Amino acid sequence: MKMKTLYPLSLIIALSFSIVSFNKYEEKKTKENKNVNYTYNTVNDNEDDNSEISNDFFKRYSDLKKYKSDVMSLYKNRTLGSIWFDENEINEFGSVLYEKAKKTNDLIVPYQKEIDLLFDSKSESNISKTDADMLLSSLYVMYTKKNNADKKKLAYDVMLKDFLNYSTIEESSATANLDAKVEYDQYYKLQDVLKKYKKLDRSHKWKPIETEVPYKDLRPDAVSNTIAQVRTRLYLLGDLKQDSKSDVYDRELMDAVMKYKVRNGFKPNYILAEEHIKEMNVPLSEKMETLMLNMERCRAISSQIAASDEYVLVNVPSYEMVYVKNGKVQLTSPVFVGAPLTKTTIFNGEIDRIVFSPYWTVPQSIVQNELRSKIASDPNYLAEKNMEMVNGQVRQKPGPDNSLGLVKFMFPNPDDIYMHDTPSKTLFDFEKRTFSHGCINVKLAKELAVAMLQDYPEWTQAKIDKAMDGKTENSFKLAKKVPIYIVYFTSLVNENGEIGFFQDVYEKDKEVTTENAVVTQ
């Protein structure tokens, strides 16, 4: 899923928000006809100078005079420093403001032509940097007034603090490039979580959980200051309905820990290991970046998913398969996927066949790298593993010990991967499940076959049981192909509206960071 780089994070981080003071009024008057990109000299704080500059500006731009008080409030702690410039260029926030204002219905902006010139690279504007900054501040006041007409009134300088945030840039860039509705509704679910996390971040209640050194696993009935901190964290995240402040690992906290672990893909038990505390301590800023990145991934999902009344979705980082039919989740199952060196491919396909009691034709790479030496050293190796050599290829016969289990689901693809059952059920007990050579191993494979064959009356439960007896391969071609989406989401919202964050098992988040992840409002 290739991301669109719109506003590099390095550029956003580079915004220093430094305040460059304006020239004294006398110096400004000698330069006010120069191009917007001239350099300022630092001046001493002088209220008379500031007042003189503002009086002169609103005299020349008299249609903005009614906004004077609100505009000047933006500069009250800036010594009339520039808001919308970095050195001699309009910064990203100025550009975002301009685009947002243009898209606001019924917003009448005095001196719109002058403002347009500021963003016209071909124009040779004579507007000074001082005037340009105050024009944009006036535009900000008009835009904010229009968009907060029905909301609780806040001071403009207070609202400006929220606007001058890198997420404003990301939100706006997505709006500018997302005219069509996002088809995959997971996008909007992640968006709602992002809003909650932003609110939580502004509350400043997110404090690092401190632990004893060396760390010892925390179990039910333990008493520890760390327990009280975990309780507060789970309350903030919504896993607890109240925060009793208790430092005892009681029944109430056990339920919250289990809820937290299940939604985040951890092994469902009550043990609080160091890795769980480490995950709880991931900064909110990183969580929000992950949410934004996965919102971008939602936009890369095929639009067909919204139109599909039946599909299978496999999310690699959460090691989970979901089968949806008639718009409702029919089955979820744990899976294990390709190891880092034999990654499961991320792509869309169509399941066209279900094969019961399958043979397993061993890939030549496995024969060369793993089996050749074993066969050479043990003449009975193939027979002991229920394998045989056919036309120069090694294949494993049907049976309960077959590496594909008792059923596989085929969807043509150049990488020759598929979903299948497995005799290695104990592997599903691991939290990190990257064991295969690329195929998707499904814990509830039989249940999936039963669910997918409900519209085929000839496939009774008895017939399915017989087909899965491990004696003879039986392939059934589906009259209606079932779309399958193999995706890579490190955060997802489940059916209960709960957010989960998962391991970046293939380090794709590191490859595509939020310098090219974008979010809409």
Side-chain angles (χ1 to χ4, degrees), residues 174 178 182 184-192 294-296 298-299 518-521:
L178 189 62
V182 178
Y184 189 35
D185 65 354
Q186 182 68 211
Y187 181 96
Y188 300 103
K189 294 177 181 179
L190 290 170
Q191 182 184 65
D192 288 340
N294 286 282
M295 287 173 68
E296 176 70 11
C298 288
R299 299 217 301 271
V518 291
V519 186
T520 189
Q521 282 185 316

Side-chain angles (χ1 to χ4, degrees), residues 453-508:
L453 292 173
Q454 286 181 346
D455 290 340
Y456 299 86
E458 70 273 25
W459 281 96
T460 62
Q461 184 65 57
K463 183 175 180 178
I464 292 174
D465 290 341
K466 185 177 180 179
M468 294 180 68
D469 63 7
K471 295 179 180 180
T472 305
E473 184 177 89
N474 188 337
S475 180
F476 176 67
K477 186 176 182 180
L478 298 173
K480 180 185 177 183
K481 298 177 182 179
V482 178
I484 179 169
Y485 302 91
I486 304 175
V487 299
Y488 195 93
F489 286 98
T490 49
S491 62
L492 277 178
V493 178
N494 65 23
E495 289 296 302
N496 299 321
E498 300 165 338
I499 184 64
F501 291 90
F502 312 110
Q503 294 178 345
D504 183 14
V505 290
Y506 295 159
E507 298 189 340
K508 289 182 177 291

Side-chain angles (χ1 to χ4, degrees), residues 144-257:
T144 306
K145 188 186 292 287
K146 178 72 175 179
N147 284 277
N148 288 273
D150 300 324
K151 302 176 184 178
K152 182 179 179 181
K153 182 174 176 58
L154 295 174
Y156 288 100
D157 60 317
V158 172
M159 288 187 282
L160 182 64
K161 292 179 181 178
D162 284 337
F163 192 88
L164 298 179
N165 185 291
Y166 77 87
S167 61
T168 298
I169 295 174
E170 293 178 341
E171 291 169 355
S172 180
S173 62
T175 300
N177 289 274
L178 189 62
D179 296 328
K181 179 183 177 182
V182 178
E183 298 291 347
Y184 189 35
D185 65 354
Q186 182 68 211
Y187 181 96
Y188 300 103
K189 294 177 181 179
L190 290 170
Q191 182 184 65
D192 288 340
V193 175
L194 178 61
K195 291 177 181 177
K196 294 177 182 177
Y197 273 53
K198 285 183 177 181
K199 183 177 180 181
L200 179 58
D201 190 37
R202 290 194 294 269
S203 73
H204 302 295
K205 294 179 180 179
W206 189 274
K207 308 293 182 184
I209 297 173
E210 298 178 354
T211 61
E212 296 179 358
V213 179
Y215 183 86
K216 293 183 179 180
D217 289 351
L218 296 170
R219 300 170 185 269
D221 297 326
V223 180
S224 167
N225 182 52
T226 301
I227 292 294
Q229 297 174 72
V230 168
R231 187 184 300 276
T232 298
R233 171 72 85 251
L234 297 185
Y235 167 70
L236 292 174
L237 291 174
D239 296 303
L240 266 174
K241 292 184 178 179
Q242 60 181 2
D243 183 6
S244 67
K245 309 294 184 183
S246 172
D247 59 1
V248 179
Y249 194 166
D250 55 16
R251 177 78 253 179
E252 182 181 47
L253 186 58
M254 288 168 63
D255 292 340
V257 168

